[in-house]
Amino acid sequence: MNTILLSFVPLLFSSLVSSGFLEYDQNVILPQDWTQAGRVDPSEQLELTFALKQQNVDLLEETLRRVSDPDSPQYGKHLSLQEVSSLVRPSALTQKVVHRWLQTHGISNCRTVHTQDFLQCSTTAEVAEALLPGSRFHRYVRNGHSIVRSSSPYSVHNEVHQHLDFVGGLHRVPPREKDANRKGPRSKAGAHLGVTPAVLRTRYNLTANDVGSAENNSQAVAQFLEQYYHPADLAEFMQMFGGTFQHRSEVDRVVGTQGGGKAGLEASLDVEYIMSTGANISTWVFTNPGRHETQEPFLQWMVLLSNMSDLPWVHTISYGDDEDSLSTAYMTRINTEFMKAGVRGLSLLFASGDSGAGCRHLGKENTFRPSFPASSPYVTTVGGTSFKNPFKVTYEVTDYISGGGFSNVFKMPDYQVSAVEGYLKSVKATLPPQSYFNTSGRAYPDMAALSDNYWVVSNRVPIPWVSGTSASTPVVGGMLSLINGQRLSRGLPALGFLNPRLYKLKGPGLFDVTEGCHLGCLDEKVQGQGFCAAPSWDPVTGWGTPNYPALLAALLSQ
């Protein structure tokens, strides 16, 4: 499947109703480009995911801070999956109440995960509608694909609500595929040769010796919504563009099921470029189509991370969704899942998006529109840049599509307060009106890389002018994997959650990007412009782009 932040409607418990059930405040987003094909048969088998309330979430967050802060005595002392499970496992009461509730409705075909905080259960539509009053399941179709979702809000018994964060598989539909962009050349046709692995390695000062060698090192990309890579494309790409550095031409492990049909441009881009900067490093592909029409692929990936003890150290994900289209309950729980990954020493990198600051139209007023998970305080978010001179490997400026801004949901984490306040103060005179953004929210991106005019091989065809932060994210991920390899070979722990350390570096190891602005609302007040780059950190390119040898030296110090 394709990866865009996707198909789940987390539930926010709000008001009791007279029947003894608690109704959820839900983002019921009805399919606009999906065609309703009618109610499903009562005997239709559905798959639902129940997110059980976890214990010790505050302690989990404090543990993440300690193991990620280079000034902490606990820095790098990451937890095992078993230790994470012992920390967050739902209480015996929560497990008992939820299991009893399901069993009372005859639901017993359930799978759990190592941390016991997710249950995935099979049941019929008839039973699901009785379990979740108000739900009405229909089948929807689009471009030959089919999903099953409920078209109306639902509730759960009021004795159960305090033991669940949300139920996945009911409402939210996958957005239309947001594949990597084809911008077309910015100069006359044929004049720009485009970004290739050699161009990236030149710009970011990677030598032929900067390839992976540690046996216990690995990296991964995650794909959703029927986005697949083709092994033949990867082999041809490396034959064309990998001649100057030692590399691998095969993915070592695919987790999930690779579908047939055409390769996706997004999947091809992700795999080919993480294996170009993270050269000669074992690479995994998580492909998450979902086993059933009611399953939500991004959620399936999160569940997998909670159930696998042996995982790559770096994961890059090139998709997101508008923050306002997701419920706070859902995003809060997903943040907890990100924290669970971080305390285990995993680095999660998300693309910042390709809509600049975004724009949300609210009556006569507009505001910028942040993206999630880019706005999560617990992931490293990657923005995009372009070459100043499109004909040469020069310094970089802002790519106008680079996503960035301030969360409207999550407060600014302590690790970035100083940097963000410094930016807001230094550019105060030229900032967009404060009604457009939340100055106290989590600000992103954290860093950036080239995102403009890439060459990709997809379906055995070399394709030029592919652009987007879905390119810059695996490029950064590959370089962090190289640094992990160097750390592991010296007996140091993996980088894990990078942000606290990145913000304490305050720029060394990165090329500062100080020119250019990204997109904003097309109105009289901001006239299509969002935020602009500035010295040090900014909400367009973060701290800048990697200068690999300097960044390696800075991140090998501890």
Side-chain angles (χ1 to χ4, degrees), residues 317-330:
I317 303 94
S318 298
Y319 301 89
D321 213 348
D322 296 327
E323 196 180 67
D324 57 81
S325 72
L326 301 165
S327 82
T328 301
Y330 164 72

Side-chain angles (χ1 to χ4, degrees), residues 98-119:
V98 174
H99 280 275
R100 184 178 61 192
W101 173 58
L102 295 172
Q103 290 167 358
T104 299
H105 287 80
I107 300 175
S108 58
N109 184 14
C110 296
R111 302 178 304 278
T112 189
V113 294
H114 195 84
T115 48
Q116 297 182 329
D117 46 6
F118 285 109
L119 280 174

Side-chain angles (χ1 to χ4, degrees), residues 105-407:
H105 287 80
I107 300 175
S108 58
N109 184 14
C110 296
R111 302 178 304 278
T112 189
V113 294
H114 195 84
T115 48
Q116 297 182 329
D117 46 6
F118 285 109
L119 280 174
Q120 296 184 298
C121 302
S122 299
T123 188
T124 65
E126 181 178 29
V127 171
E129 290 179 359
L131 180 77
L132 303 166
S135 60
R136 295 291 183 269
F137 287 93
H138 295 78
R139 177 167 280 103
Y140 297 87
V141 295
R142 181 181 72 185
N143 298 332
H145 303 301
S146 174
I147 61 171
V148 172
R149 293 292 186 269
S150 172
S151 59
S152 55
Y154 60 96
S155 57
V156 300
H157 197 280
N158 55 25
E159 292 182 357
V160 180
H161 83 272
Q162 62 186 308
H163 300 287
L164 283 178
D165 282 330
F166 66 84
V167 181
L170 280 99
H171 290 148
R172 191 164 174 75
V173 302
R176 181 171 292 280
E177 180 178 314
K178 295 180 182 176
D179 217 335
N181 296 315
R182 295 286 308 282
K183 286 185 181 176
R186 293 186 179 178
S187 54
K188 65 182 181 179
H192 190 292
L193 295 179
V195 174
T196 65
V199 169
L200 290 169
R201 295 179 73 86
T202 298
R203 168 57 186 159
Y204 298 132
N205 292 320
L206 290 156
T207 70
N209 294 323
D210 291 317
V211 296
S213 58
E215 293 183 3
N216 56 342
N217 191 23
S218 56
Q219 58 191 5
V221 298
Q223 304 297 336
F224 312 92
L225 287 179
E226 298 179 350
Q227 273 280 329
Y228 308 114
Y229 89 100
H230 281 184
D233 291 339
L234 175 60
E236 182 172 333
F237 178 86
M238 287 302 181
Q239 185 175 12
M240 291 181 65
F241 299 116
T244 60
F245 57 94
Q246 186 179 357
H247 61 266
R248 300 189 182 199
S249 297
E250 295 181 357
V251 166
D252 280 344
R253 183 173 177 183
V254 175
V255 181
T257 304
Q258 275 273 100
K262 291 185 177 181
L265 190 60
E266 178 71 62
S268 303
L269 173 68
D270 288 355
V271 172
E272 290 164 9
Y273 279 93
I274 197 173
M275 294 181 69
S276 295
T277 52
N280 206 42
I281 294 173
S282 175
T283 302
W284 297 21
V285 172
F286 285 81
T287 180
N288 302 273
R291 291 184 296 274
H292 189 273
E293 292 168 305
T294 50
Q295 287 195 335
E296 300 167 354
F298 183 83
L299 191 55
Q300 297 308 305
W301 174 70
M302 297 299 319
V303 170
L304 274 175
L305 296 190
S306 281
N307 209 35
M308 298 179 69
S309 57
D310 180 21
L311 286 167
W313 293 114
V314 173
H315 298 252
T316 75
I317 303 94
S318 298
Y319 301 89
D321 213 348
D322 296 327
E323 196 180 67
D324 57 81
S325 72
L326 301 165
S327 82
T328 301
Y330 164 72
M331 292 186 286
T332 299
R333 173 58 184 263
I334 294 300
N335 276 342
T336 303
E337 299 306 307
F338 294 154
M339 286 190 276
K340 284 164 59 179
V343 297
R344 294 174 63 189
L346 308 185
S347 300
L348 303 183
L349 278 66
F350 279 84
S352 69
D354 297 341
S355 302
C359 188
R360 188 182 186 193
H361 307 287
L362 298 172
K364 296 182 180 179
E365 299 296 325
N366 293 332
T367 64
F368 293 152
R369 195 170 203 175
S371 175
F372 183 86
S375 65
S376 169
Y378 308 106
V379 302
T380 299
T381 303
V382 182
T385 61
S386 302
F387 282 125
K388 174 66 173 179
N389 184 335
F391 298 92
K392 298 179 180 179
V393 178
T394 60
Y395 71 92
E396 294 162 73
V397 297
T398 294
D399 187 348
Y400 66 93
I401 66 171
S402 179
F406 296 77
S407 173

